[in-house]
């Protein structure tokens, strides 16, 4: 009989994705602990809060050191602060693509080493067949959106 730990180790391996904004000004690689489902175990978070909905975010959460921007792309992005004003949403200044949410100043210690990357900007990602994890940001996040 095969060792279940051995087979789990074979399917859980770091996977690197290339990503870019629509116009190509912002380019990067993201390494996740395992492939996005259905290839692996990583799921994409789908939040229903106002900014995630309006910007079309489909989020994965790599460690900051596992995201590598090419050609100083990270210095070219612009920022927008919403809700708590502590997690800047970073986007391309040319095409407006929403690239990430930076958690470096998050009030929760465990979030600070992470970036929330928009998986819809990854190359060769099939969102139609991806597995999503819902998050009720409308109810869970403060302050509520009003406009």
């Amino acid at each position: 009989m095969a060792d279940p730990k051995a087979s789990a180790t074979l399917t859980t391996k770091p996977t690197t994705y290339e990503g870019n904004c629509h116009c190509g000004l912002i380019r990067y690689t993201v390494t996740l602990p395992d492939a996005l489902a259905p290839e692996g175990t990583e799921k994409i978070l789908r939040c229903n809060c106002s900014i995630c909905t309006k910007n079309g975010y489909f989020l994965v959460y790599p460690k900051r050191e596992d995201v590598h921007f090419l050609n100083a792309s990270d210095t070219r992005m612009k920022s927008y602060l919403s809700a708590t004003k502590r997690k800047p949403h970073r986007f391309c200044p040319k095409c407006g693509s929403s690239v990430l949410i930076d958690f470096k100043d998050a009030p929760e210690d465990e979030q600070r080493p992470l970036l929330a990357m928009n998986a819809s900007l990854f190359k060769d990602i099939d969102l139609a067949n991806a597995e999503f994890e819902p998050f009720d940001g409308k109810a869970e996040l403060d302050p509520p959106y009003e406009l």
Side-chain angles (χ1 to χ4, degrees):
M1 182 170 175
D3 181 1
K5 290 181 185 175
S7 62
T9 303
L10 292 175
T11 58
T12 304
K13 62 179 183 170
T15 304
T16 300
Y17 298 91
E18 292 181 29
N20 59 271
C21 66
H22 191 266
C23 72
L25 180 68
I26 310 301
R27 301 172 56 88
Y28 53 89
T29 62
V30 176
T31 301
L32 298 172
D34 193 10
L36 291 168
E39 297 90 4
T41 61
E42 291 287 320
K43 293 184 180 178
I44 299 170
L45 186 120
R46 182 182 281 168
C47 177
N48 67 356
C49 79
S50 61
I51 195 155
C52 286
T53 301
K54 288 181 180 288
N55 285 330
Y57 280 123
F58 295 104
L59 299 170
V60 294
Y61 297 85
K63 292 180 182 173
R64 186 177 307 280
E65 64 264 18
D66 293 333
V67 178
H68 300 282
F69 288 93
L70 310 174
N71 302 326
S73 292
D74 56 330
T75 63
R76 296 177 180 169
M77 287 189 285
K78 298 292 183 188
S79 295
Y80 172 73
L81 292 169
S82 71
T84 63
K85 309 285 189 224
R86 297 194 63 178
K87 299 175 184 173
H89 293 253
R90 308 283 313 275
F91 60 95
C92 175
K94 187 174 177 185
C95 68
S97 295
S98 296
V99 178
L100 64 89
I101 306 166
D102 192 340
F103 286 4
K104 71 179 176 189
D105 295 323
E108 302 84 4
D109 288 339
E110 66 276 3
Q111 289 184 354
R112 290 186 192 136
L114 305 176
L115 293 172
M117 300 297 298
N118 189 357
S120 65
L121 301 182
F122 293 1
K123 291 182 181 177
D124 303 319
I125 221 53
D126 182 7
L127 291 176
N129 291 310
E131 290 187 35
F132 295 95
E133 181 176 325
F135 178 73
D136 188 6
K138 270 187 186 177
E140 300 287 329
L141 300 175
D142 287 320
Y145 176 73
E146 293 181 17
L147 186 62

